[in-house]
Amino acid sequence: MNIHEYQAKELLRRFGVPVPRGRVAWTPEEAEEVARDLGGSLWVVKAQIHAGGRGKAGGVRLARSLSEVRQHARDLLGRRLVTQQTGPEGRVVKRVYVEEGCAIAREFYLSAVVDRQTARVTLIASPEGGVDIEEVAARAPAKILKRAIDPATGFMPHHARELGFALGLSSQEV
């Protein structure tokens, strides 16, 4: 199943996971309106396509003014964004997600993927978050934790503790 970032964040929000506030926009004017409604002085304008690597391809941009939000949206909407996952044909950006900016103390990588070989959901985590998880895997494979989740028992508290400690969280944070 492919869903956009804004759809994933709405699902997370519904289940009580704290995520930055944001909304999808289809036009530069709507993007500026979203930023105005969010308030603040820093926003992130993100191209919404079904592919990773958007940041490296110029599809994630910081804006420090409402006019910058509008300009970034204008630059992204209708553009064919080419990433490692899209191939040379790229994908056309039809919508952007405008999100409030935030102070980032640490970044982690966490994903849940279906491993077809084991027929299980596998959690992949790394304390080196950001845009280059493939590079981390090649350079420092010990920094990548993979755990298959048994479908009979599901995600258990010991999985959370193991992931938390692998990410370098303190016992209070886990």
Side-chain angles (χ1 to χ4, degrees):
M1 170 173 54
N2 282 330
I3 62 175
H4 291 289
E5 175 185 4
Y6 73 93
Q7 294 166 318
K9 287 189 173 179
E10 180 55 35
L11 283 171
L12 290 169
R13 186 177 291 110
R14 284 188 203 162
F15 286 92
V17 177
V19 295
R21 295 176 307 131
R23 287 198 329 258
V24 70
W26 300 82
T27 67
E29 296 75 22
E30 192 176 357
E32 183 178 348
E33 180 183 322
V34 169
R36 186 177 294 107
D37 291 347
L38 291 171
S41 59
L42 180 66
W43 303 272
V44 188
V45 181
K46 302 176 176 186
Q48 296 297 288
I49 61 170
H50 289 139
R54 294 172 298 147
K56 282 184 133 183
V60 177
R61 300 177 182 189
L62 290 178
R64 289 179 165 66
S65 70
L66 294 173
S67 62
E68 246 187 314
V69 169
R70 180 190 286 244
Q71 187 59 52
H72 289 326
R74 182 177 290 120
D75 292 345
L76 291 169
L77 290 165
R79 174 181 168 196
R80 189 169 293 275
L81 197 62
V82 177
T83 75
Q84 285 182 312
Q85 290 185 6
T86 66
E89 68 281 358
R91 297 237 170 86
V92 176
V93 178
K94 298 178 182 174
R95 62 188 72 81
V96 294
Y97 186 59
V98 180
E99 184 174 77
E100 64 186 344
C102 63
I104 299 172
R106 293 184 285 179
E107 270 189 289
F108 305 109
Y109 178 87
L110 179 64
S111 68
V113 297
V114 176
D115 183 338
R116 297 191 197 293
Q117 285 184 308
T118 63
R120 294 180 177 199
V121 171
T122 298
L123 299 175
I124 304 170
S126 175
E128 291 194 25
V131 296
D132 287 319
I133 195 64
E134 293 85 2
E135 184 181 304
V136 173
R139 175 179 41 81
K143 291 190 176 184
I144 305 288
L145 175 75
K146 293 182 181 181
R147 287 299 173 263
I149 305 302
D150 187 327
T153 59
F155 186 75
M156 302 294 289
H158 72 276
H159 293 122
R161 285 189 300 277
E162 183 181 20
L163 284 171
F165 291 132
L167 293 173
L169 300 176
S170 69
S171 57
Q172 291 84 359
E173 292 172 310
V174 174

